[in-house]
């Protein structure tokens, strides 16, 4: 991120639910309720390995992505590549949580800009 001046953040919509479960693992998610028995076909919150599987699968941080570039042209190419990869994998992006092409962004509780990474001002106020 040394020379980055343009930043975007992306968030997968219901990230864990976009990962298919292996057929042999579906029985481990069995739910018995008065209306019958059900199994998850996709990863869900609460499974101990869900975060590790998501991390390995998307190569981001859980379901959040930070895209950074030095120039607008480079940033457009980086975003296009990221969107194409997500599309090819069948993932959907949460548009409400997406921030595109900004000089600074909040990402995982930090303010990121061409000046570096620091806590946001509201966390420094007393």
């Amino acid at each position: 991120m040394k020379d980055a001046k343009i930043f975007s953040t992306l968030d997968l919509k219901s990230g864990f639910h976009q990962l298919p479960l292996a057929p042999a693992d579906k029985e481990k998610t069995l739910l018995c309720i008065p209306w019958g028995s059900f199994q998850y076909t996709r990863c869900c919150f609460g499974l101990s390995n869900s975060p590790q599987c998501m991390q390995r699968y998307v190569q981001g941080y859980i379901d959040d992505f930070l895209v950074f570039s030095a120039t607008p042209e480079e940033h457009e190419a980086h975003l296009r590549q990221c969107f194409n990869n997500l599309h090819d994998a069948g993932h959907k992006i949460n548009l409400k949580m997406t921030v595109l092409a900004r000089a600074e962004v909040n990402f995982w509780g930090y303010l990121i800009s061409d000046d570096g990474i620091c806590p946001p001002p509201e966390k420094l106020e007393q």
Side-chain angles (χ1 to χ4, degrees), residues 41-102:
T41 58
R42 303 213 161 249
C43 212
C44 60
F45 294 92
L47 296 178
S48 61
N49 288 336
S50 293
Q52 294 91 333
C53 291
M54 178 58 89
Q55 183 75 23
R56 186 172 50 248
Y57 191 73
V58 299
Q59 297 299 310
Y61 187 79
I62 307 294
D63 64 347
D64 296 315
F65 298 88
L66 175 65
V67 180
F68 51 91
S69 313
T71 67
E73 296 79 19
E74 187 180 70
H75 198 65
E76 181 180 344
H78 289 160
L79 284 172
R80 192 173 305 279
Q81 180 181 4
C82 187
F83 290 144
N84 285 338
N85 290 344
L86 291 170
H87 178 267
D88 291 347
H91 292 303
K92 294 178 179 26
I93 296 171
N94 184 352
L95 295 177
K96 291 179 183 177
M97 301 293 288
T98 296
V99 177
L100 297 175
R102 300 283 170 83

Side-chain angles (χ1 to χ4, degrees), residues 6-68:
I6 303 169
F7 304 89
S8 293
T9 61
L10 309 174
D11 179 68
L12 291 183
K13 184 179 266 188
S14 301
F16 291 151
H17 297 291
Q18 294 189 43
L19 296 178
L21 280 176
D25 293 331
K26 291 177 185 176
E27 65 185 43
K28 298 171 187 166
T29 66
L30 182 69
L31 298 171
C32 295
I33 58 174
W35 305 278
S37 299
F38 301 92
Q39 296 176 351
Y40 277 92
T41 58
R42 303 213 161 249
C43 212
C44 60
F45 294 92
L47 296 178
S48 61
N49 288 336
S50 293
Q52 294 91 333
C53 291
M54 178 58 89
Q55 183 75 23
R56 186 172 50 248
Y57 191 73
V58 299
Q59 297 299 310
Y61 187 79
I62 307 294
D63 64 347
D64 296 315
F65 298 88
L66 175 65
V67 180
F68 51 91

